[in-house]
Amino acid sequence: MQFDRKDKNDATLLDLYTQLLYPRMVEEKMLILLRQGRIGKWFSGIGQEAIAVGSTLAMKETEYILPMHRNLGVFTARDIPLKKLMAQWQGKISGFTKGRDRSFHFGTQEYKIIGMISHLGPQMALADGIALADLIAGKKQTTLVFTGEGATSEGDFHEAINVAAVWNLPVIFLIENNGYGLSTPINEQFKCKDLVDRAAGYGIEGIQIDGNNILEVYDTLSDIAEKMRANPKPVLIECLTFRMRGHEEASGTKYVPQERFDLWAKKDPVKCFEEYLLEQKVLTPESMAEIKADFKTGIEQEVEAAFLEEEPVADIATEMADMYAAHTYQPIEPNEASTEIRYIDAITDALKIGMQKHDNLVLMGQDIAEYGGAFKITDGFVNLFGKARVRNTPICESAIVGAGLGLSINGYKAVVEMQFADFVTCGFNQIVNNLAKTHYRWGEKADVVVRMPTGAGTGAGPFHSQSNEAWFTKTPGLKIVYPAFPFDAKGLLLAAIDDPNPVLFFEHKYLYRSLSGQVPAGEYTLEIGKANLIKEGNQLSIITYGLGVHWALSYMDEHPELSINLLDLRSLQPWDREAVATAVRKTGRVLILHEDTLSNGFGAELAAWIAEHCFEHLDAPVMRCASTDTAIPMSKVLEESFLAKSRLKESIQKLVAY
């Protein structure tokens, strides 16, 4: 291995050495503890330390780094106390995740490190959002994100790099190519000769370096980061390296030919650098031994101190509360005159007010800029707020939702538009595993609203008309809003934008231009989680939301002889249990109506809760009226037969007659 010290003095070389040596010695201690049964799992980065250490030292302390689970050197080079790291690995209450997650699955704003989740690729999109926030704010900073050669096959890898390339984001995408994805060798992972060649496909620079050479890593990253701060654009770096242990210790290394171990043992990043420094007389055998002895003593002390830290105490109330970032709703009452506007215009108005109120709010979605969006909701917004904050996106829902979370991490708010709610499947992982769990895991808000144009009635068929709210109502950490009226749509969307938690905001497409109502000008909010009693009655209660509210109102107009209590939930997570219980007690007969399919729709949760908590007030079984358990058809006659509306009369008659 050839080292080039360039203009580095002895003190700099010695600092690089100690930063490189320390995580190696920590790992060696972890392997001893693993054999002793004092820790349960370890992902070793032995052999790869030069990448984590060299790249981290090349970054400013104010710049974010998004590492993987084999990058201990990132955390130690940012001077996180080993006791704190050890507490995290042991699941102690003093760890970063309070025992809720393991390994490096956490972030820390103090040290500007954002850890991964087990799905590997999604953190790359977070890096895009973090860098975008810096770019909009005019900060001359860059963001560094790690990935492995195996994860380059994931869609998240390609989406994130493409977005960064199109938007000229200052992101360093660093691939640690250690030859194996768990046990699968690279020839079974990809066909290209070198992963760095993929950079050309995105129109960005690609550089391949020796990942075991600490000076080459440090110098290359330092040079790239400095250029990127002055001239923002992404770069792809492939670091060639090898892990000398298994994917994790239990998996072993039997799948690796011995000759590969022998070859890479000669390229050990710590050993090779030691030999160079001895040759340069920066180190002596005596000074090296002294450094190692000091480290060993310190490591022992920190590790043992961490073992004495308190274990978490199970408290369900605390766990439930920590699923969401603290937010005290402060109502903003309407104080301006009302005019009659359409449902779609109420959403436009809310977005416009939100953008004016929050200068750190960014809108992202397909075709939302000059074109104004598929439904023209953001028409004219580019002229008002500029392209930096009203951003057309490539067709890559996962990357854009992830970028929204990255924006939130770096001090911004994001509203992401799904062109149709159906397309959210392509961003599902980011929503249910990143947005929903981030605050619970390490206390960071996920200040993102995902707008979801949803529902049937327009003959748009199986991929543009689904009611998919139930995919998300069971996911703790998300808030789900589903307004039925223009007044509610505006007030709830403004409340969602103010809320630091992730909100999925369902907007019924059929109502966009078919429904109008009185809506106050100016800002006002409605509390998420509060239902609206639309009409009072004493014969039966209909509990519904979205288009179901209008089906119920239409039926009530046609049947004035019935005294129906109509409750519009408006929010599905959290939902208004008190209002539901009151409706049950008032009439003793309950029909749950929704547009979604019957089996496992949100109505099933309502029915179960009512049966469990309000049984003594029921005069009849809780009944559900929902759409057929099929995909939604395109044909108007088939769609009408599919929808719950076609069974509403029959359901009400059955309930009244019971």
Side-chain angles (χ1 to χ4, degrees), residues 370-611:
E370 290 84 357
Y371 187 71
F375 299 99
K376 301 299 181 183
I377 285 175
T378 54
D379 192 21
F381 275 41
V382 165
N383 295 331
L384 289 173
F385 305 109
K387 289 214 64 166
R389 294 178 60 206
V390 183
R391 306 188 73 89
N392 283 334
T393 71
I395 301 176
C396 49
E397 287 80 4
S398 182
I400 300 308
V401 173
L405 179 54
L407 281 165
S408 174
I409 287 169
N410 204 8
Y412 276 69
K413 289 175 170 284
V415 173
V416 175
E417 178 186 293
M418 291 291 145
Q419 196 169 79
F420 292 88
D422 312 66
F423 299 165
V424 76
T425 49
C426 299
F428 192 78
N429 183 39
Q430 291 282 13
I431 292 173
V432 302
N433 283 317
N434 254 339
L435 292 188
K437 296 178 174 66
T438 290
H439 185 265
Y440 176 75
R441 288 168 49 239
W442 57 279
E444 177 64 25
K445 67 187 183 307
D447 199 345
V448 181
V449 176
V450 182
R451 290 184 42 241
M452 302 274 282
T454 190
T458 59
F463 305 117
H464 293 78
S465 306
Q466 297 173 88
S467 296
N468 51 11
E469 63 273 9
W471 295 352
F472 303 101
T473 51
K474 75 165 300 295
T475 303
L478 300 175
K479 295 188 178 183
I480 314 295
V481 177
Y482 204 141
F485 297 96
F487 176 83
D488 296 345
K490 180 177 176 179
L492 285 168
L493 182 51
L494 283 167
I497 291 170
D498 286 347
D499 197 312
N501 292 285
V503 181
L504 269 63
F505 192 87
F506 285 85
E507 310 162 1
H508 206 291
K509 306 189 303 293
Y510 182 77
L511 299 178
Y512 273 160
R513 292 176 171 83
S514 67
L515 179 68
S516 296
Q518 290 291 315
V519 178
E523 182 183 11
Y524 68 91
T525 59
L526 298 174
E527 185 174 0
I528 294 173
K530 294 297 181 183
N532 180 29
L533 182 61
I534 296 176
K535 287 194 176 182
E536 290 194 62
N538 54 34
Q539 274 186 278
L540 74 145
S541 292
I542 297 178
I543 301 173
T544 185
Y545 56 91
L547 192 56
V549 174
H550 300 282
W551 292 339
L553 285 169
S554 178
Y555 183 87
M556 292 164 68
D557 287 342
E558 294 170 4
H559 296 274
E561 74 278 6
L562 292 177
S563 179
I564 296 177
N565 200 59
L566 178 59
L567 184 67
D568 175 11
L569 288 175
R570 299 197 293 195
S571 299
L572 309 183
Q573 188 65 272
W575 56 277
D576 196 337
R577 288 163 171 77
E578 182 179 347
V580 168
T582 299
V584 176
R585 288 193 296 266
K586 185 173 180 61
T587 65
R589 297 172 188 267
V590 178
L591 178 69
I592 299 169
L593 170 66
H594 61 59
E595 184 178 340
D596 194 8
T597 51
L598 180 68
S599 295
N600 300 305
F602 186 66
E605 169 63 21
L606 293 174
W609 187 88
I610 292 169

Side-chain angles (χ1 to χ4, degrees), residues 65-69 71 74-75 113-116 123 144-146:
I65 302 177
L66 295 87
M68 299 283 279
H69 55 303
N71 296 131
V74 171
F75 298 83
I113 296 175
I114 310 301
M116 57 174 290
Q123 83 273 15
L144 170 63
V145 60
F146 288 73

